[in-house]
Amino acid sequence: MALFGGLFSDSDSDSDDQPQRQSIGSLLSSLPDLVKRIIRGEIELAKAELVAKLKAAGVGIGLLVGAAVFAFVLLEVLIAAAVLAVSTALPPWLAALLVAAALLVIVAVLALVGVRSLKRGVPPVPTETIKNVKSDVHALKGERNDSAEERP
């Protein structure tokens, strides 16, 4: 098991492939250090996972803000197009409508990409870390957890 990889050492063994056995007392004395290392590792994993999810959420929020800015500009262009349509004949308002259509496409693309990115980062829960902690608890209790996948 990878959890107890540090308890058995091959470095001092002879040419055979048998791991060096440690006494029960030695194993029990190294248990608090092992638990500390597991807890620290899980905390670091949780931090890394939260940072990654919050970065994805930040990108999504930024893209949605960009979409909102372009939507505001779109509204201004549509208002200008309406004013031009009333005040003149065909060419000026047609140009304004073409610009508005281009801005509408930009708003739609930014909004869709932003929502997709925001969904990747929400909820900011460290799911992998929670699964690993549960697996570690089962291992420390001496239970076999068939539902959990092995960690790489």
Side-chain angles (χ1 to χ4, degrees), residues 89-151:
L90 187 64
W93 66 266
L94 186 58
L97 283 178
L98 291 175
V99 170
L103 287 172
L104 180 62
V105 169
I106 292 170
V107 167
V109 169
L110 286 176
L112 290 175
V113 172
V115 166
R116 187 179 318 141
S117 181
L118 190 58
K119 284 182 180 178
R120 274 187 291 189
V122 174
V125 177
T127 54
E128 289 296 319
T129 302
I130 291 171
K131 188 170 75 171
N132 289 341
V133 168
K134 286 180 182 179
S135 176
D136 292 343
V137 168
H138 285 292
L140 289 174
K141 287 182 178 179
E143 299 172 356
R144 184 176 175 157
N145 189 3
D146 293 328
S147 65
E149 297 176 5
E150 289 293 321
R151 281 189 263 179

Side-chain angles (χ1 to χ4, degrees):
M1 218 179 183
L3 179 67
F4 298 107
L7 297 178
F8 297 104
S9 171
D10 288 339
S11 61
D12 296 331
S13 64
D14 295 332
S15 62
D16 57 350
D17 290 340
Q18 297 293 327
Q20 181 182 358
R21 297 267 182 188
Q22 294 182 345
S23 69
I24 299 277
S26 173
L27 290 174
L28 289 177
S29 68
S30 65
L31 189 60
D33 183 51
L34 178 64
V35 171
K36 285 181 196 175
R37 287 188 299 167
I38 289 172
I39 291 171
R40 284 186 186 130
E42 297 299 348
I43 289 171
E44 290 301 317
L45 181 62
K47 285 180 186 177
E49 195 172 346
L50 284 174
V51 165
K53 288 191 175 197
L54 290 175
K55 280 183 183 178
V59 168
I61 290 170
L63 289 171
L64 287 174
V65 167
V69 168
F70 276 103
F72 183 72
V73 172
L74 171 69
L75 180 63
E76 292 174 349
V77 170
L78 287 173
I79 291 172
V83 170
L84 290 174
V86 171
S87 67
T88 64
L90 187 64
W93 66 266
L94 186 58
L97 283 178
L98 291 175
V99 170
L103 287 172
L104 180 62
V105 169
I106 292 170
V107 167
V109 169
L110 286 176
L112 290 175
V113 172
V115 166
R116 187 179 318 141
S117 181
L118 190 58
K119 284 182 180 178
R120 274 187 291 189
V122 174
V125 177
T127 54
E128 289 296 319
T129 302
I130 291 171
K131 188 170 75 171
N132 289 341
V133 168
K134 286 180 182 179
S135 176
D136 292 343
V137 168
H138 285 292
L140 289 174
K141 287 182 178 179
E143 299 172 356
R144 184 176 175 157
N145 189 3
D146 293 328
S147 65
E149 297 176 5
E150 289 293 321
R151 281 189 263 179

